Amino acid sequence: MKPIHESLELLNEQQRNAVLHKGSALLILAGAGSGKTRVITVKIAYLIEELGVDPRSILAVTFTNKAAGEMRERARDLSEAAEGVVIRTFHSFGAWLMRRNAAALNLSSNFTIYDDDDSLSLLATLYPEKSRQQLKQYNTLISRAKDSCLGPDDSLEDISGDPELQTVYAAYERRLREIGNSDFGDLILRPIELLQSDPAIAERIRNRFSVILVDEYQDSNHAQYRLLSELYRPGSYICVVGDDDQSIYRFRGAEVKNILNFPELFDNTDIIKLEQNYRSTNPILELAGSVVANNQGRLGKQLWTSREDGALPVIARLSDSDAEVDYVLRLIRDDFEGETAILYRTNAQSRLFETRFLQEGIPYRIVGTLRFYEREEIKDAVALLKLIANPKDEVSFNRIINKPSRGIGKSALADIKTHLHPARGNLVLAAEYAMASARKRTSTGIAAFLDVIRGMETQLKESGGGHLGELINSGLERSGLAQYYINQDEIAGSTKIQNLEELVNAASLYSPDYEGLVEFLEAIELDSSREQSDEDAMVTLITMHNTKGLEFDRVVITGLEDDLFPRADNGDPDALEEERRLFYVAITRARHELHITSCASRRIHGRIQRLNPSRFLGEIPGELVEFSGRSAPDTPGDPSSIFSDEDPWAAWSRAGQGEPGFSRHSGGKEEDVQGDYPRGQAVYHDDYGPGEVIKSMFNGSEEVIIVRFQSGQTAQFIPRFSGIEKISSF
């Protein structure tokens, strides 16, 4: 065990100032890769060993069990006495406080903590007439209310406009108290209640913890801030560590204003900025700083490093998502030593990379989610397709007949299978036979299911154009799966609908008939059956949110197009600023090399659509990046910006990159062959209205056209699959 002075000597000046600070409240603004964990653990040891602070009087809180465990272990390595420090997550500390004062809360010290499923079950006993989906919605809203420190008697208008919420919340809370248990939100809310309602207990607890340390403070919600406020008293020492530029969990209730307003909420606050970065090269840090500087809601700092090496980050302006994957494959095959991470905004973006990596035999790992074809919503949609292709497929039939719930339980399912013999193994036909003798609710459910299957079968038989993705869209709508997963996304903040849309994109390359269906299912099976070991992974696939706290030798940030990243902000400046912080987090994951890709078109809802580059790229000074090995293009607008305000793609075309929307890697030829849709041809599309072909080209034998519509929109189509029609004029 090192003497504390040796640990201090290993710190830089600002880190050392943060450790030695005492007296007033302290906000440590710790930039990405600046060694904040080292600072907070050395500070714990310094308080004990040098200032003689009783370890039992130190409370250190963070947000995950892993982070708390690491803090505990590193503090013990520096001071054996740190064993007595209370180092916990916010919720673990809340439970600790409640059990020691259970009687004051009218609880048994052995009370049970309800998880989401338990809370849902409790709501179901109170409201048996409501669907599980409705109850999930209320469960989520109650949790949000508790994170905002709101009880059932408070105004809940900011949580939801549902007039029933207050009644449901009150009934739920009343029953929870009668049972004598607590849910997850109570672990913060009830300690606040305890400290506010019992002055004797409050004084004892505040006297016990004279030092309060908080890590990752930018991730705190309103209730957690209120708990800290109740624990703090004049004369206590409070120190929070965080980075306002890395606050990216607003969807979980995190409040960036907690860290921004800390100096106003705690008198005489000192601010120490940790700006020396030990992770990334200087060019990467300069790029990160130029991006996040566009946010208004920040306290401000500038990361720097003593490293003098490092290439400029590269922006690759690509024609489409296939070219994006090709670009990444070329990077992976170079002689770079180290791990490459592919970052994206939504999980759905992993599909193309997974498919190509499997085809090319490139080992990869995917972090934070299942592989694309293993995801629940994808397996549900594929089960529909498999049953259409083979009505004897029992596994697919069992998976999908009662999802979403149609009142077809286990006994009804068993009854259907008694009709398999006369139906010659056809489960769909067996369900039709069973419907006549089934109970009314079951019969109605079977009829609804058969309507889905028969409708999809008819669509396949009578298809006169379009693509297979349209069959999936129809099946998802008819079956109720689309609405089912829309509701789940709304409740859980998940992206299941985006994953289903990506499945539609994958299917849009196949013909809308039985032959196309079988080919698509075969392609899925081949991809799913290729086994890999994560141990040999050359590449990591991961969403930007999941990269928080991680670092990689080389990072490729994909999908820098408006409405994909940043997502459509609907005029909410706070949402846009959080998206920009997410970009900053993604950039600062890179140690040595950074690439950013932006595509001119992507397949969306099964159609090729032209896209605008992300507005974030337009905020980057051109001298900070390279453009796929070329110098920055000329920009007639702002000379410090990558893009022209007039036409964000024009500069790229002038730099010799070709026309956006045309896939050069595919070997296509521009207008070498006279197609069915020559330039100037008037056309009509159901979604876009009338338009005119402005470019015609061929990708192999497939004609591809770019159309400018009366609305001013421009889009790219494969006529054979798009439902576009020729008209004489408009």
Side-chain angles (χ1 to χ4, degrees), residues 638-672:
D638 179 1
S640 68
S641 170
I642 288 173
F643 302 135
S644 158
D645 292 335
E646 181 181 336
D647 179 357
W649 284 99
W652 186 243
S653 298
R654 286 195 297 276
Q657 295 303 305
E659 178 69 27
F662 181 70
S663 179
R664 298 185 308 281
H665 79 277
S666 65
K669 297 179 181 179
E670 296 188 43
E671 303 183 308
D672 287 346

Side-chain angles (χ1 to χ4, degrees), residues 450-560:
L450 291 174
D451 180 64
V452 175
I453 301 300
R454 298 305 187 204
M456 292 178 71
E457 288 174 341
T458 300
Q459 187 173 343
L460 267 184
K461 291 173 184 175
E462 299 179 355
S463 175
H467 54 73
L468 189 65
E470 293 168 356
L471 179 72
I472 298 176
N473 264 333
S474 172
L476 292 172
E477 291 294 335
R478 286 173 178 268
S479 66
L481 281 171
Q483 191 58 51
Y484 175 79
Y485 282 118
I486 286 171
N487 292 341
Q488 278 206 12
D489 285 352
E490 184 179 342
I491 292 167
S494 54
T495 56
K496 293 178 182 290
I497 280 295
Q498 289 178 327
N499 288 335
L500 289 169
E501 288 173 353
E502 184 57 31
L503 183 70
V504 171
N505 290 337
S508 68
L509 300 175
Y510 295 82
S511 58
D513 50 30
Y514 276 97
E515 183 180 353
L517 173 60
V518 171
E519 286 179 7
F520 181 53
L521 291 173
E522 183 178 301
I524 290 175
E525 186 57 36
L526 288 173
D527 280 350
S528 301
S529 64
R530 291 184 172 101
E531 294 185 2
Q532 284 193 339
S533 169
D534 280 359
E535 295 176 5
D536 302 322
M538 300 168 60
V539 190
T540 295
L541 294 171
I542 186 169
T543 65
M544 296 179 204
H545 276 104
N546 281 328
T547 62
K548 182 78 180 297
L550 303 178
E551 54 187 64
F552 305 93
D553 296 314
R554 175 167 60 191
V555 165
V556 185
I557 306 173
T558 62
L560 265 290

Side-chain angles (χ1 to χ4, degrees), residues 271-557:
I271 300 176
I272 295 177
K273 300 178 182 181
L274 305 185
E275 297 174 301
Q276 184 173 0
N277 177 280
Y278 294 92
R279 175 188 300 155
S280 306
T281 64
N282 194 59
I284 291 170
L285 296 180
E286 285 190 344
L287 177 59
S290 74
V291 167
V292 80
N294 289 279
N295 274 358
Q296 299 299 311
R298 63 190 297 260
L299 295 171
K301 62 185 173 305
Q302 183 64 50
L303 294 182
W304 63 277
T305 179
S306 59
R307 290 177 59 180
E308 296 181 358
D309 62 331
L312 288 177
V314 176
I315 293 179
R317 307 278 295 282
L318 303 164
S319 56
D320 55 29
S321 51
D322 288 326
E324 184 176 58
V325 179
D326 284 345
Y327 180 84
V328 171
L329 285 170
R330 288 194 296 273
L331 290 176
I332 293 168
R333 291 181 178 126
D334 68 16
D335 59 358
F336 182 80
E337 292 185 6
E339 184 180 13
T340 297
I342 313 301
L343 278 55
Y344 36 80
R345 181 64 179 82
T346 66
N347 277 312
Q349 290 168 258
S350 75
R351 182 194 64 85
L352 273 176
F353 291 104
E354 290 187 62
T355 297
R356 289 290 297 281
F357 290 169
L358 288 166
Q359 291 170 353
E360 301 288 336
I362 294 173
Y364 71 91
R365 70 170 59 89
I366 188 161
V367 176
T369 188
L370 296 168
R371 294 173 186 263
F372 186 79
Y373 288 111
E374 294 173 357
R375 296 169 193 169
E376 175 194 13
E377 62 277 12
I378 300 302
K379 291 175 79 72
D380 288 344
V382 170
L384 268 178
L385 298 180
K386 286 182 174 179
L387 195 61
I388 299 298
N390 177 16
K392 295 181 179 181
D393 184 343
E394 186 171 355
V395 172
S396 296
F397 181 82
N398 290 345
R399 182 179 186 93
I400 209 66
I401 187 172
N402 197 43
K403 190 170 187 182
S405 177
R406 299 183 181 90
I408 305 171
K410 290 181 180 179
S411 60
L413 196 57
D415 183 54
I416 288 172
K417 291 176 182 178
T418 64
H419 294 80
L420 274 176
H421 181 68
R424 296 184 179 181
N426 185 318
L427 285 153
V428 176
L429 194 56
E432 195 171 319
Y433 291 161
M435 186 168 60
S437 58
R439 295 177 181 175
K440 183 176 180 182
R441 183 173 181 231
T442 302
S443 177
T444 302
I446 293 174
F449 173 70
L450 291 174
D451 180 64
V452 175
I453 301 300
R454 298 305 187 204
M456 292 178 71
E457 288 174 341
T458 300
Q459 187 173 343
L460 267 184
K461 291 173 184 175
E462 299 179 355
S463 175
H467 54 73
L468 189 65
E470 293 168 356
L471 179 72
I472 298 176
N473 264 333
S474 172
L476 292 172
E477 291 294 335
R478 286 173 178 268
S479 66
L481 281 171
Q483 191 58 51
Y484 175 79
Y485 282 118
I486 286 171
N487 292 341
Q488 278 206 12
D489 285 352
E490 184 179 342
I491 292 167
S494 54
T495 56
K496 293 178 182 290
I497 280 295
Q498 289 178 327
N499 288 335
L500 289 169
E501 288 173 353
E502 184 57 31
L503 183 70
V504 171
N505 290 337
S508 68
L509 300 175
Y510 295 82
S511 58
D513 50 30
Y514 276 97
E515 183 180 353
L517 173 60
V518 171
E519 286 179 7
F520 181 53
L521 291 173
E522 183 178 301
I524 290 175
E525 186 57 36
L526 288 173
D527 280 350
S528 301
S529 64
R530 291 184 172 101
E531 294 185 2
Q532 284 193 339
S533 169
D534 280 359
E535 295 176 5
D536 302 322
M538 300 168 60
V539 190
T540 295
L541 294 171
I542 186 169
T543 65
M544 296 179 204
H545 276 104
N546 281 328
T547 62
K548 182 78 180 297
L550 303 178
E551 54 187 64
F552 305 93
D553 296 314
R554 175 167 60 191
V555 165
V556 185
I557 306 173

